[in-house]
């Protein structure tokens, strides 16, 4: 796959707490992690996440148990690190992993970073947000049209490394010729609507689309780090 990667510190943050992975091989691995836990902690948690995923999955044949086990190991190592270092107490990260195999992908997901698929002119969100606002919308408490302005929309309900155990969503996804996949942190989706993602990616080269998406998020505020991976299938 052709992988286009962009990451930006944003307009406000003092450091970039996002990390990403694009590991080539017989079974390529792609990931985005958005760290949290203070100036230092978030950066360390996200970096640990993608490094451990690469270490644990590299050279393996994709299967659901291996992916879940790898994310469990990420969780255990980050959790142990923050327990043993008071300066890192409470750190954690989102983690969204796409592990490619011959027929498609395995998706492993915790948090509110996202995985999108663009297929035949339509955009599909393949991951489910583990966030307070998503739970309120799904339960019918909050109307979907008010989600973007909800004051606690950045509160996540699941993260890697903050608790002893982690509950990971694992999905098996099919791939098709012409598909475009997008992994991104919420620094992008906070500012760019789904219909804009679709039009920008569909109407531009992958390189230009990546640049335009980053610029749009920055122009609209860019109060968070922004990371995206756009993957085009041959």
């Amino acid at each position: 796959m052709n992988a286009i990667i962009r990451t930006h510190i944003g307009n406000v943050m003092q450091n970039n707490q996002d990390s990403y992975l694009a590991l080539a091989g017989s079974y390529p691995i792609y990931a985005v992690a958005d760290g949290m836990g203070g100036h230092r902690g978030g950066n360390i948690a996200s970096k640990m996440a993608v490094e451990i995923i690469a270490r644990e999955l590299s050279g393996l044949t994709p299967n659901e148990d291996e992916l879940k086990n790898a994310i469990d190991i990420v969780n255990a190592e980050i959790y142990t690190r923050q327990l043993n270092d008071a300066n890192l107490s409470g750190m954690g990260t989102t983690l969204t992993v796409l592990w490619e195999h011959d027929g498609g992908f395995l998706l492993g997901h915790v948090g509110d970073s996202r995985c999108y698929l663009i297929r035949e002119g339509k955009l599909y969100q393949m991951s489910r947000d583990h966030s307070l606002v998503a739970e309120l919308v799904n339960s019918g408490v909050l109307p979907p049209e008010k989600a973007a302005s909800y004051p606690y929309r950045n509160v996540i309900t699941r993260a890697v490394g903050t608790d002893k155990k982690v509950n990971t969503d694992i999905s098996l996804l099919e791939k098709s010729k012409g598909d475009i996949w997008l992994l991104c942190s919420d620094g992008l989706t906070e500012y760019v609507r789904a219909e804009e993602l679709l039009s920008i990616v569909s109407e531009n080269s992958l390189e230009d689309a990546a640049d335009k998406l980053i610029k749009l998020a920055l122009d609209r505020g860019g109060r968070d780090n922004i990371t995206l991976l756009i993957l085009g299938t041959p």
Side-chain angles (χ1 to χ4, degrees), residues 123-148:
L123 178 77
Y124 304 91
Q125 184 177 332
M126 308 307 289
S127 58
R128 180 170 63 92
D129 291 351
H130 303 137
S131 66
L132 177 59
V133 70
E135 291 186 1
L136 292 174
V137 169
N138 292 337
S139 65
V141 173
L142 183 69
E145 61 271 15
K146 293 187 176 181

Side-chain angles (χ1 to χ4, degrees), residues 102-122:
D102 293 339
F105 295 93
L106 283 172
L107 171 65
H109 171 68
V110 181
D112 66 349
S113 296
R114 290 182 180 175
C115 172
Y116 288 103
L117 165 64
I118 296 175
R119 175 178 289 169
E120 297 180 349
K122 294 183 179 180

Side-chain angles (χ1 to χ4, degrees), residues 152-169:
Y152 303 109
R153 61 189 176 278
N154 298 121
V155 176
I156 62 174
T157 54
R158 255 192 249 179
V160 179
T162 54
D163 295 296
K164 192 171 183 179
K165 300 289 185 181
V166 64
N167 183 13
T168 303
D169 290 351

